[in-house]
Amino acid sequence: MACFVVPAAEAILVTAVAYSLKKKEMKLSALKIDGVQTPDFSEEPKKIKWSRKLSWLAGLLWGGVFLLAFEHLWHGEVVPFPPFLTAMFSPEDTHAMLFEMATVGTAMSAAVTAVWGAVVAFADAKVKLLRKAAANK
């Protein structure tokens, strides 16, 4: 019914945080030379930035949200006129929709976030391993 709303809310939040972090990281990495902001390319990054990691999560979430929204639209559970969700036409259906959002939507968001966490842990371990191998050469 509306299980995609919970991951959509998480995707909006993660996208905003990733954007904010990216702006902050860009400001921190810039040098002020003769009044002009230029990026500092003198030092190689030692790890993957958090804004990039969060953009991975946002991509996973947005992909799932669009796929689920299309699937619900295909089955007639989402309509192009208010209230947009067919489950909101009756109180009984609204209760079932809210229950589905609380259970299925939350579980999907948690599963996607857990997979993202595993990917981030793997990527960090791989970067650390590559840095160690490069230092030994």
Side-chain angles (χ1 to χ4, degrees), residues 14-15 18 50-60 62 116:
V14 167
T15 301
W50 267 103
S51 63
R52 182 171 205 130
K53 293 175 187 177
L54 287 175
S55 70
W56 297 344
L57 177 58
L60 289 170
W62 281 119
W116 167 79

Side-chain angles (χ1 to χ4, degrees), residues 3-11 57 61 104-114:
C3 56
F4 65 91
V5 174
V6 176
E10 183 183 359
L57 177 58
L61 289 167
V104 177
T106 303
M108 286 189 309
S109 289
V112 170
T113 304

